[in-house]
């Protein structure tokens, strides 16, 4: 029987959804969908200063754009809520109080300065800084006295000595940590807010999470979390820590490498299914087969067994290639819808888009569908389609126009165009054959003069697509200017 994955994505809303976070969300989502389990999205906003509503909104919009719909979340509700940690403070308090009552946690009144001094001393001796455990031995009377003085303690977990904290990791295998290297860490801060390592355990347990699948950088937190599970007498879930994403220079993916958030990729003209497919391949491989897969195929084939321990390299060229593939698979209507906002932002279209504008963009997208890798790539082709003035690109192009047959070709071309009731790609295409027949000139001798005279360039999208975009007026004006005909 296939294991059922009840998994979660637990972002801290301290910025837009990062590409690495999206990959973690995706792996969780895939396993939930594959196994008929649930995908829970929990907002971990206990860092009050850095968390924002704006980031929360961005995270949900990005997940939605990628098609990673949650079964339970602050938006979707669910039986295990609330799904935002700041709405669960009473729950954490209950378990912190329980640990205090059982002597498994204790109040610590040490000031930040004291802790800092201890830290510095340890560092100087080349030792790992760790809390000395000083407040562990305070008597109830001493505690009462300090509380009465108005001191605000933190709560620390009493981590037993000499224990092995074992992470059985589906990606990295068994990783063993010594409890002596962990030390008594803070589970509730002096303002009553739980720390990540405490809240995450309470939530994963109460939300009945079966597998904790997250980024490798959290592996070092896992022994602390296991210590909390042990203290509370709870079974530990299964873990999977997925590898870092590196840039092509093999350094950790950061802003230096380009876009890092999902929203940025959307704005750059990537399609969600391309990003989905690409992210799935960051650390996972379907094994030698075609890497272009639909969402359904990825869900069917995905498994943690095939997730690599080695870091994944973010290959921008591959993402572009995949995106180009999905652009070619898209309907023209969809591409038009995506191109319009881009063309508006670049000043090619007004705020108000008319039917004629849509028709114009449709013709442009017909011309470019095979040529572009991202929607925004249309920018580099736009000079082909607008304006009367064009530059003849180089000497080679000038030579094409100097051929003595050029006037014959262009005149025949103009005459044929004039006979066309409507300028569409199919009918324009037929003109070239007719010109060949009429003039006795073949292939390139017909195409090239027309191409250079209309665009100034030797290469580009198919002419029968460009000509309908230009329309009679621009064709006329450009021919006048370039070949004086
Ligand atoms: N809130 C943590 C983060 O965003 C989640 C870690 C986890 O998945 O346990 O990094």
């Amino acid at each position: 029987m296939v294991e059922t994955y009840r998994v979660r994505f637990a972002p801290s809303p301290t910025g837009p959804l990062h590409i690495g976070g999206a990959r973690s969300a995706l792996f969780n989502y895939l396993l939930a969908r594959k196994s008929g389990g649930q995908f829970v999205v929990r907002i971990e906003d206990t860092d009050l200063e850095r968390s924002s509503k704006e980031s929360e909104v961005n995270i949900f919009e990005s997940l939605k754009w990628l098609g990673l719909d949650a079964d339970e979340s602050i938006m979707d509700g669910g039986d295990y809520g609330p799904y935002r940690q700041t709405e669960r403070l009473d729950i954490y308090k209950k378990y912190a109080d329980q640990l205090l009552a059982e002597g498994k946690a204790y109040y610590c009144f040490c000031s930040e300065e004291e802790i800092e001094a201890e830290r510095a001393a340890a560092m100087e001796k080349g030792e790992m800084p760790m809390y000395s455990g000083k407040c562990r031995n305070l008597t109830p009377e001493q505690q009462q006295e300090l509380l009465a003085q108005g001191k605000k303690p933190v709560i620390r977990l009493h981590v037993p000595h000499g224990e092995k904290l074992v992470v059985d990791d589906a990606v990295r295998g068994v990783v063993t940590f010594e409890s002596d290297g962990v030390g008594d860490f803070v589970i509730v801060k002096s303002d009553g807010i739980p720390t990540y390592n405490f809240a995450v355990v309470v939530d994963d347990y109460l939300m009945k999470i079966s597998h904790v699948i997250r980024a490798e950088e959290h592996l070092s937190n896992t022994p602390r979390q296991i210590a909390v599970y042990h203290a509370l007498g709870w079974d530990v879930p299964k873990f999977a820590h997925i590898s870092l994403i590196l840039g092509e220079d093999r350094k950790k993916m950061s802003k230096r490498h380009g876009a890092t958030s999902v929203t940025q990729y959307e704005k750059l003209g990537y399609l969600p299914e391309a990003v989905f497919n690409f992210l799935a391949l960051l650390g996972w491989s379907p094994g030698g087969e075609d890497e272009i897969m639909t969402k359904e195929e990825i869900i069917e084939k995905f498994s943690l067994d095939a997730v690599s321990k080695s870091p994944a390299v973010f290959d921008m060229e591959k993402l572009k290639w995949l995106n180009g593939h999905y652009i070619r698979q898209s309907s023209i209507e969809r591409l038009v819808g995506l191109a319009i906002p881009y063309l508006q932002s670049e000043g090619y279209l007004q705020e108000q888009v008319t039917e004629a504008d849509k028709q114009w963009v449709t013709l442009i997208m017909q011309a470019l569908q095979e040529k572009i890798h991202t929607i925004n790539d249309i920018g580099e082709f736009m000079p082909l389609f607008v304006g009367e003035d064009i530059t003849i690109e180089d000497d080679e192009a000038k030579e094409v126009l100097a051929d003595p047959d050029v006037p014959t070709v262009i005149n025949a071309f103009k005459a044929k165009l004039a006979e066309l009731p409507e300028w569409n790609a199919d009918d324009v295409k037929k003109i070239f054959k007719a010109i060949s027949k009429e003039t006795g000139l073949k292939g390139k001798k017909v195409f090239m003069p027309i191409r250079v005279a209309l665009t100034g360039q030797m290469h580009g999208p198919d002419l029968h697509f460009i000509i309908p975009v230009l329309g009679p007026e621009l064709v006329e004006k450009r021919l006048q200017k370039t070949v004086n005909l």
Side-chain angles (χ1 to χ4, degrees):
M1 220 192 65
V2 194
E3 256 179 312
T4 302
Y5 285 80
R6 183 173 159 82
V7 286
R8 78 332 183 253
F9 174 52
S12 301
T14 54
L17 182 61
H18 190 273
I19 215 76
R23 197 258 318 240
S24 297
L26 173 65
F27 281 17
N28 279 288
Y29 171 86
L30 293 172
L31 289 164
R33 290 294 166 268
K34 185 190 170 100
S35 69
Q38 295 88 36
F39 175 54
V40 178
V41 176
R42 180 175 70 229
I43 293 294
E44 300 205 329
D45 59 346
T46 53
D47 184 340
L48 305 180
E49 255 163 45
R50 293 176 58 227
S51 298
S52 73
K53 273 275 162 319
E54 190 193 346
S55 303
E56 218 173 85
V57 169
N58 175 278
I59 288 167
F60 278 96
E61 279 176 359
S62 299
L63 291 174
K64 185 165 176 226
W65 182 75
L66 282 169
L68 305 180
D69 42 308
D71 299 300
E72 297 167 32
S73 74
I74 53 169
M75 311 297 248
D76 303 273
D79 294 340
Y80 297 85
Y83 294 93
R84 187 189 278 115
Q85 287 190 326
T86 49
E87 291 170 31
R88 301 173 61 81
L89 298 180
D90 51 337
I91 303 176
Y92 310 125
K93 183 171 184 322
K94 174 180 155 195
Y95 290 101
D97 286 346
Q98 181 188 316
L99 291 174
L100 283 170
E102 291 171 357
K104 291 175 179 166
Y106 58 90
Y107 286 122
C108 167
F109 295 87
C110 293
S111 66
E112 267 173 47
E113 293 74 38
E114 280 174 84
I115 301 285
E116 199 33 60
E118 262 185 29
R119 232 185 116 77
M123 299 286 267
E124 200 154 294
K125 280 193 251 165
E127 287 169 9
M128 210 167 54
M130 207 185 298
Y131 179 61
S132 64
K134 187 175 152 199
C135 290
R136 203 188 296 146
N137 303 319
L138 290 176
T139 62
E141 294 73 32
Q142 286 169 316
Q143 283 187 8
Q144 283 314 315
E145 201 185 310
L146 288 162
L147 288 172
Q149 286 169 17
K151 291 244 163 87
K152 293 248 175 286
V154 299
I155 301 174
R156 288 183 184 272
L157 188 74
H158 180 184
V159 179
H161 280 294
E163 267 191 14
K164 297 218 177 299
L165 300 168
V166 182
V167 186
D168 188 1
D169 194 286
V171 172
R172 326 205 86 77
V174 174
V175 189
T176 306
F177 296 85
E178 303 292 335
S179 68
D180 292 359
V182 170
D184 293 354
F185 60 94
V186 176
I187 56 171
V188 180
K189 291 178 275 183
S190 56
D191 56 4
I193 305 286
T195 58
Y196 157 66
N197 280 317
F198 183 57
V200 77
V201 170
V202 171
D203 290 347
D204 284 339
Y205 177 77
L206 294 179
M207 293 183 183
K208 296 201 163 64
I209 298 303
S210 64
H211 297 71
V212 169
I213 302 161
R214 61 187 171 197
E216 183 183 1
E217 62 207 19
H218 285 296
L219 181 62
S220 58
N221 286 319
T222 311
R224 287 187 179 77
Q225 294 171 22
I226 291 179
V228 175
Y229 280 103
H230 288 174
L232 288 165
W234 292 342
D235 284 342
V236 175
K238 296 197 177 123
F239 289 100
H241 288 92
I242 50 185
S243 298
L244 283 179
I245 301 176
L246 304 182
E248 265 151 289
D249 55 359
R250 306 245 152 200
K251 302 225 167 78
K252 197 178 166 199
M253 184 81 177
S254 73
K255 292 206 171 88
R256 271 184 311 111
H257 296 97
T260 49
S261 73
V262 172
T263 308
Q264 281 174 303
Y265 283 94
E266 182 183 358
K267 291 220 174 92
L268 286 169
Y270 287 88
L271 303 186
E273 61 269 44
V275 179
F276 188 105
N277 193 156
F278 177 75
L279 290 178
L281 298 171
L282 280 181
W284 171 69
S285 157
E289 295 159 50
D290 192 358
E291 293 195 310
I292 294 178
M293 290 167 284
T294 62
K295 184 173 182 172
E296 289 68 33
E297 284 167 337
I298 296 173
I299 291 172
E300 193 196 310
K301 290 182 184 164
F302 189 81
S303 87
L304 279 181
D305 299 339
V307 169
S308 168
K309 255 201 262 199
S310 334
V313 175
F314 194 100
D315 179 349
M316 197 63 87
E317 285 310 308
K318 183 168 172 180
L319 173 58
K320 282 203 177 132
W321 168 76
L322 273 170
N323 206 58
H325 165 82
Y326 285 104
I327 283 182
R328 279 179 273 297
Q329 300 265 302
S330 297
S331 71
I332 292 291
E333 294 72 43
R334 179 183 184 207
L335 298 179
V336 169
L338 294 167
I340 287 173
Y342 172 74
L343 291 171
Q344 286 170 320
S345 72
E346 293 294 303
Y348 289 106
L349 285 177
Q350 304 280 319
E351 191 67 24
Q352 283 294 322
V353 180
T354 63
E355 273 313 305
D357 291 334
K358 278 192 197 151
Q359 185 51 29
W360 180 67
V361 182
T362 303
L363 294 170
I364 290 176
M365 295 320 284
Q366 278 169 347
L368 298 183
Q369 185 170 26
E370 298 290 325
K371 292 273 165 198
I372 52 174
H373 291 102
T374 66
I375 296 296
N376 297 15
D377 280 351
I378 58 185
E380 75 189 64
F381 290 97
M382 285 314 286
L384 277 181
F385 303 121
V386 293
E388 298 168 16
D389 295 316
I390 51 166
T391 332
I392 308 298
E393 115 185 303
D394 54 19
D395 289 346
E396 209 186 340
K398 283 182 190 141
E399 236 167 74
V400 168
L401 293 188
D403 190 285
D405 287 326
V406 169
T408 316
V409 173
I410 300 294
N411 282 325
F413 173 60
K414 288 179 72 170
K416 295 282 169 227
L417 280 178
E419 289 166 18
L420 278 186
E422 196 200 322
W423 288 26
N424 59 54
D426 285 344
D427 289 344
V428 171
K429 200 171 180 177
K430 289 183 194 138
I431 287 184
F432 302 113
K433 272 211 184 99
I435 301 173
S436 260
K437 219 166 147 196
E438 199 175 288
T439 60
L441 296 164
K442 296 242 161 344
K444 273 193 163 182
K445 292 280 272 178
V446 171
F447 284 120
M448 290 315 283
I450 300 175
R451 176 177 291 284
V452 176
L454 286 177
T455 69
Q457 296 175 13
M458 301 285 291
H459 307 278
D462 286 334
L463 267 182
H464 58 274
F465 285 126
I466 298 180
I467 293 161
V469 182
L470 296 175
E473 210 186 303
L474 270 187
V475 165
E476 170 85 33
K477 290 203 166 129
R478 286 190 181 181
L479 292 180
Q480 240 168 39
K481 292 200 175 183
T482 53
V483 286
N484 202 14
L485 287 167

